Amino acid sequence: MSSADGAKQPPSAGPDRPGVSDPGPGRRIAVDVGSVRVGIALSDPAPMLASPLVTLARDDHANADLTQLAGLVAEHDVVEVVVGLPRTLANRHGAAAQAAVDYAKQLADRVTPVPVRLADERLSTVSASRMLSDRGVRGRKQRAVVDQAAAVEILQGWLDARAAALAARSPDE
């Protein structure tokens, strides 16, 4: 990953804290890494609101998904990338979390100097699936968008925590 000055740093095994080494205003992208698909969400420039962007097919051999994602980072002038870190309910680091860390490292190599952060995403896919079901989206249609919806959950959580962290640092006016 990268520090605020653009120097590469290896990602930690645990999630990053929103607002630390914050790059300021600008768009953020969140990534929900799955074994088959990668869900992508994008924020507005403020950044306050997360919206679904696209689902990419995972390609472990040619890494086409990483190439497409790096292109999206450049196309949308992204200032920070947030990759979901799927920790277990017991806050342990399993195979899925290691896959997300590895993916984040590969992405960081492609988008430097844009920082790539890890965000706790426990239950984001479960929450996204429930929300889609509540809206009547089921089966094959749900599979097509659940990864984007999970990325929206990850990004909105990051944006809300970032805003709270920045507000806590600001003196009262």
Side-chain angles (χ1 to χ4, degrees):
M1 317 299 208
S2 301
S3 66
D5 64 4
K8 283 197 156 191
Q9 296 178 352
S12 62
D16 292 299
R17 289 188 5 237
V20 174
S21 299
D22 189 77
R27 292 184 183 273
R28 270 82 172 154
I29 274 185
V31 183
D32 178 51
V33 181
S35 58
V36 177
R37 292 175 300 273
V38 179
I40 311 295
L42 179 68
S43 77
D44 63 319
M48 295 177 66
L49 183 64
S51 301
L53 184 60
V54 68
T55 299
L56 305 174
R58 186 76 188 272
D59 181 3
D60 287 332
H61 301 293
N63 292 325
D65 54 318
L66 283 164
T67 301
Q68 290 174 293
L69 182 50
L72 291 170
V73 169
E75 176 185 340
H76 294 284
D77 295 320
V78 169
V79 299
E80 186 174 50
V81 177
V82 181
V83 176
L85 182 64
R87 310 277 293 197
T88 67
L89 291 177
N91 200 28
R92 293 204 172 96
H93 191 87
Q98 188 57 52
V101 169
D102 293 344
Y103 195 90
K105 285 179 186 177
Q106 291 177 54
L107 181 59
D109 288 341
R110 292 170 181 252
V111 300
T112 296
V114 176
V116 176
R117 317 281 193 206
L118 296 171
D120 188 337
E121 67 134 320
R122 280 177 277 188
L123 302 178
S124 64
T125 302
V126 171
S127 177
S129 293
R130 185 172 297 134
M131 180 267 303
L132 290 169
S133 289
D134 290 347
R135 293 183 180 175
V137 180
R138 291 184 174 79
R140 191 170 292 188
K141 287 182 180 180
Q142 187 178 94
R143 282 194 300 275
V145 296
V146 71
D147 302 292
Q148 288 177 45
V152 168
E153 294 263 338
I154 294 164
L155 185 53
Q156 193 63 57
W158 182 269
L159 296 176
D160 293 347
R162 173 190 176 269
L166 296 178
R169 286 195 301 217
S170 298
D172 290 332
E173 299 179 0

